[in-house]
Amino acid sequence: MKQQPDIQWDSLPFGYIKTDYNVRCTYKDGEWGPIEVSQDEYIPLHIAATCLHYGQESFEGLKAFRGKDGKIRVFRMDENAKRFIRSAEGIMMQPMPVELFCEMVRKVVKLNARFVPPYGTGASLYIRPLEIGTSAQVGVKPSKEYTVIMFVTPVGPYFKEGFKPSKVCLSREYDRVAPKGTGSFKIGGNYAASLQAGEKAHDLGYSVMLYLDPKEKKYLDECGAANIFGIRGNSYITPASPSILPSITNKSVRQIARDLGMEVEERQIPYEELETFEEVGSCGTAAVISPVAEIHDLDNGKKFIFSTNNEAGPKSTQLFNALRAIQLGEAEDKHGWVEIIEEED
Ligand code: PLP
Ligand code: COI
């Protein structure tokens, strides 16, 4: 039995903690090489590598959970693998085959199994795959060589409020991404473009910035690094937009909502409709389901209030519990979303 790390599991932030190993795989001369295991937290890079100059970088985020039965479960890694391909193709990088991606995930989780937080702590193991263009180019051209790295880190809640509702602000002064640019890819450049707005929201005491669509500023778009949803009656309503990331959590929650007999609407959501929602939340791998108490429009001073008692609404709670139960192996995995990772002795 391996030694348990000295970590306060139930007060873990969403941050980086060094684990034992990361895994790497390089594409060179037209093929992917073997999966390499490393203990090094650094990578050597050519000073003219395309990732440094022209933003050839994409990443993913997924989680592994320890169940009451002690088993480790990874949630929907095939979906992350497919999105990783989409992002790579979107910025002309070599896409990694789904099976190779999944092999790397299994390996990095197994190698760091002692860092998968114990059941009941609310914490999980965050898996961060990333791909970079590594060969030298000075003209604006794609790299010829690529490296995929996966590291893991145990994490607690993304927002300090956890499953308690937080306050969000909204402003038309920022575009997160360009819809016909790289809007729906999970690439580093989109997050660089969101830093000013995110820091402004934090400085004003909000958890994140809610963006309206970049084209007309009429419709709800992305909620920081998560999708947004509203609940009205028995309906789960979430944006369809070319400038949001197609969230795997949202896709799963939509299915869970249908399974629970709710109506699901995926469509443009006019700003004015905020007024009609009984509950609002954001969803994502890091955010899980994060209830929103209030949305403050910084441009016109309008306030939309969804919770006055510091509690999540009943539908958001039901969806959160149902998602968590599948991830922890406590509810039937009827859609085949989880894979159990066997631990080595
Ligand atoms: N939107 C953005 C901008 C994100 O960074 C994320 C996080 O991955 C999401 C949405 C949620 O996506 P997922 O549920 O696949 O993690
Ligand atoms: C995720 O939910 O996995 C994210 O990527 C959000 C953020 C930490 C970038």
Side-chain angles (χ1 to χ4, degrees), residues 277-296:
F277 290 145
E278 289 139 21
E279 298 175 37
V280 167
S282 65
C283 61
T285 299
V288 194
I289 286 179
S290 294
V292 171
E294 299 182 13
I295 298 175
H296 295 186

mmCIF file of all heavy atoms in Angstrom, residues 277-296:
data_model
loop_
_atom_site.group_PDB
_atom_site.id
_atom_site.type_symbol
_atom_site.label_atom_id
_atom_site.label_comp_id
_atom_site.label_asym_id
_atom_site.label_seq_id
_atom_site.Cartn_x
_atom_site.Cartn_y
_atom_site.Cartn_z
ATOM 1 N N PHE A 277 -36.343 33.562 -14.801
ATOM 2 C CA PHE A 277 -35.793 32.319 -14.255
ATOM 3 C C PHE A 277 -35.990 32.240 -12.747
ATOM 4 O O PHE A 277 -35.827 33.215 -12.024
ATOM 5 C CB PHE A 277 -34.296 32.195 -14.592
ATOM 6 C CG PHE A 277 -34.021 31.934 -16.049
ATOM 7 C CD1 PHE A 277 -32.901 32.474 -16.668
ATOM 8 C CD2 PHE A 277 -34.870 31.149 -16.813
ATOM 9 C CE1 PHE A 277 -32.632 32.239 -18.012
ATOM 10 C CE2 PHE A 277 -34.620 30.900 -18.164
ATOM 11 C CZ PHE A 277 -33.504 31.454 -18.754
ATOM 12 N N GLU A 278 -36.313 31.026 -12.308
ATOM 13 C CA GLU A 278 -36.451 30.794 -10.859
ATOM 14 C C GLU A 278 -35.111 30.394 -10.249
ATOM 15 O O GLU A 278 -34.842 30.630 -9.086
ATOM 16 C CB GLU A 278 -37.484 29.682 -10.631
ATOM 17 C CG GLU A 278 -38.898 30.140 -10.953
ATOM 18 C CD GLU A 278 -39.712 29.079 -11.686
ATOM 19 O OE1 GLU A 278 -39.367 27.880 -11.613
ATOM 20 O OE2 GLU A 278 -40.698 29.456 -12.347
ATOM 21 N N GLU A 279 -34.291 29.723 -11.065
ATOM 22 C CA GLU A 279 -32.948 29.351 -10.617
ATOM 23 C C GLU A 279 -31.989 29.589 -11.770
ATOM 24 O O GLU A 279 -32.371 29.445 -12.931
ATOM 25 C CB GLU A 279 -32.872 27.848 -10.261
ATOM 26 C CG GLU A 279 -33.785 27.436 -9.133
ATOM 27 C CD GLU A 279 -33.775 25.909 -8.901
ATOM 28 O OE1 GLU A 279 -32.707 25.274 -9.038
ATOM 29 O OE2 GLU A 279 -34.844 25.370 -8.599
ATOM 30 N N VAL A 280 -30.755 29.944 -11.426
ATOM 31 C CA VAL A 280 -29.708 30.040 -12.445
ATOM 32 C C VAL A 280 -28.465 29.371 -11.877
ATOM 33 O O VAL A 280 -28.198 29.429 -10.668
ATOM 34 C CB VAL A 280 -29.423 31.526 -12.827
ATOM 35 C CG1 VAL A 280 -28.126 31.654 -13.627
ATOM 36 C CG2 VAL A 280 -30.575 32.107 -13.645
ATOM 37 N N GLY A 281 -27.711 28.710 -12.761
ATOM 38 C CA GLY A 281 -26.467 28.090 -12.308
ATOM 39 C C GLY A 281 -25.474 28.050 -13.452
ATOM 40 O O GLY A 281 -25.831 28.261 -14.610
ATOM 41 N N SER A 282 -24.225 27.792 -13.108
ATOM 42 C CA SER A 282 -23.233 27.558 -14.148
ATOM 43 C C SER A 282 -22.792 26.102 -14.030
ATOM 44 O O SER A 282 -22.925 25.495 -12.950
ATOM 45 C CB SER A 282 -22.049 28.513 -14.009
ATOM 46 O OG SER A 282 -21.358 28.272 -12.808
ATOM 47 N N CYS A 283 -22.296 25.543 -15.112
ATOM 48 C CA CYS A 283 -21.869 24.142 -15.047
ATOM 49 C C CYS A 283 -20.625 23.909 -15.877
ATOM 50 O O CYS A 283 -20.437 24.502 -16.936
ATOM 51 C CB CYS A 283 -23.009 23.212 -15.455
ATOM 52 S SG CYS A 283 -23.606 23.458 -17.114
ATOM 53 N N GLY A 284 -19.771 23.041 -15.350
ATOM 54 C CA GLY A 284 -18.514 22.703 -16.009
ATOM 55 C C GLY A 284 -17.778 21.689 -15.149
ATOM 56 O O GLY A 284 -18.194 21.409 -14.030
ATOM 57 N N THR A 285 -16.681 21.175 -15.659
ATOM 58 C CA THR A 285 -15.926 20.183 -14.890
ATOM 59 C C THR A 285 -15.445 20.783 -13.577
ATOM 60 O O THR A 285 -15.614 20.191 -12.507
ATOM 61 C CB THR A 285 -14.734 19.674 -15.722
ATOM 62 O OG1 THR A 285 -15.273 19.061 -16.887
ATOM 63 C CG2 THR A 285 -13.895 18.679 -14.949
ATOM 64 N N ALA A 286 -14.824 21.959 -13.658
ATOM 65 C CA ALA A 286 -14.335 22.604 -12.441
ATOM 66 C C ALA A 286 -15.512 23.118 -11.608
ATOM 67 O O ALA A 286 -15.582 22.903 -10.402
ATOM 68 C CB ALA A 286 -13.390 23.745 -12.796
ATOM 69 N N ALA A 287 -16.462 23.766 -12.271
ATOM 70 C CA ALA A 287 -17.590 24.402 -11.565
ATOM 71 C C ALA A 287 -18.624 23.376 -11.082
ATOM 72 O O ALA A 287 -19.417 23.674 -10.197
ATOM 73 C CB ALA A 287 -18.268 25.406 -12.490
ATOM 74 N N VAL A 288 -18.619 22.176 -11.630
ATOM 75 C CA VAL A 288 -19.651 21.145 -11.428
ATOM 76 C C VAL A 288 -21.002 21.828 -11.734
ATOM 77 O O VAL A 288 -21.212 22.243 -12.852
ATOM 78 C CB VAL A 288 -19.612 20.528 -10.012
ATOM 79 C CG1 VAL A 288 -20.472 19.244 -9.975
ATOM 80 C CG2 VAL A 288 -18.184 20.192 -9.589
ATOM 81 N N ILE A 289 -21.878 21.962 -10.717
ATOM 82 C CA ILE A 289 -23.015 22.873 -10.873
ATOM 83 C C ILE A 289 -22.825 23.915 -9.785
ATOM 84 O O ILE A 289 -22.750 23.567 -8.610
ATOM 85 C CB ILE A 289 -24.360 22.136 -10.704
ATOM 86 C CG1 ILE A 289 -24.644 21.272 -11.942
ATOM 87 C CG2 ILE A 289 -25.504 23.140 -10.491
ATOM 88 C CD1 ILE A 289 -25.928 20.483 -11.893
ATOM 89 N N SER A 290 -22.681 25.158 -10.183
ATOM 90 C CA SER A 290 -22.491 26.233 -9.205
ATOM 91 C C SER A 290 -23.688 27.164 -9.277
ATOM 92 O O SER A 290 -23.879 27.869 -10.273
ATOM 93 C CB SER A 290 -21.208 27.011 -9.496
ATOM 94 O OG SER A 290 -20.086 26.194 -9.294
ATOM 95 N N PRO A 291 -24.514 27.162 -8.231
ATOM 96 C CA PRO A 291 -25.695 28.020 -8.252
ATOM 97 C C PRO A 291 -25.324 29.499 -8.257
ATOM 98 O O PRO A 291 -24.303 29.887 -7.680
ATOM 99 C CB PRO A 291 -26.428 27.664 -6.956
ATOM 100 C CG PRO A 291 -25.610 26.645 -6.248
ATOM 101 C CD PRO A 291 -24.358 26.395 -6.985
ATOM 102 N N VAL A 292 -26.157 30.291 -8.910
ATOM 103 C CA VAL A 292 -25.942 31.740 -8.971
ATOM 104 C C VAL A 292 -27.028 32.410 -8.128
ATOM 105 O O VAL A 292 -28.220 32.174 -8.338
ATOM 106 C CB VAL A 292 -26.003 32.235 -10.442
ATOM 107 C CG1 VAL A 292 -26.000 33.755 -10.513
ATOM 108 C CG2 VAL A 292 -24.837 31.658 -11.245
ATOM 109 N N ALA A 293 -26.596 33.222 -7.164
ATOM 110 C CA ALA A 293 -27.567 33.914 -6.296
ATOM 111 C C ALA A 293 -28.107 35.158 -6.986
ATOM 112 O O ALA A 293 -29.303 35.425 -6.987
ATOM 113 C CB ALA A 293 -26.905 34.308 -4.983
ATOM 114 N N GLU A 294 -27.172 35.945 -7.565
ATOM 115 C CA GLU A 294 -27.564 37.232 -8.164
ATOM 116 C C GLU A 294 -26.704 37.508 -9.384
ATOM 117 O O GLU A 294 -25.534 37.126 -9.408
ATOM 118 C CB GLU A 294 -27.330 38.382 -7.158
ATOM 119 C CG GLU A 294 -28.131 38.219 -5.903
ATOM 120 C CD GLU A 294 -27.952 39.370 -4.905
ATOM 121 O OE1 GLU A 294 -27.384 40.417 -5.286
ATOM 122 O OE2 GLU A 294 -28.382 39.199 -3.756
ATOM 123 N N ILE A 295 -27.292 38.180 -10.358
ATOM 124 C CA ILE A 295 -26.518 38.685 -11.489
ATOM 125 C C ILE A 295 -26.677 40.203 -11.502
ATOM 126 O O ILE A 295 -27.800 40.717 -11.532
ATOM 127 C CB ILE A 295 -27.000 38.084 -12.831
ATOM 128 C CG1 ILE A 295 -26.813 36.560 -12.828
ATOM 129 C CG2 ILE A 295 -26.233 38.706 -14.002
ATOM 130 C CD1 ILE A 295 -27.364 35.838 -14.045
ATOM 131 N N HIS A 296 -25.558 40.910 -11.439
ATOM 132 C CA HIS A 296 -25.588 42.376 -11.469
ATOM 133 C C HIS A 296 -25.105 42.854 -12.831
ATOM 134 O O HIS A 296 -23.994 42.500 -13.251
ATOM 135 C CB HIS A 296 -24.687 42.958 -10.373
ATOM 136 C CG HIS A 296 -25.168 42.639 -8.994
ATOM 137 N ND1 HIS A 296 -24.583 43.147 -7.868
ATOM 138 C CD2 HIS A 296 -26.182 41.853 -8.556
ATOM 139 C CE1 HIS A 296 -25.222 42.693 -6.781
ATOM 140 N NE2 HIS A 296 -26.184 41.893 -7.186
#
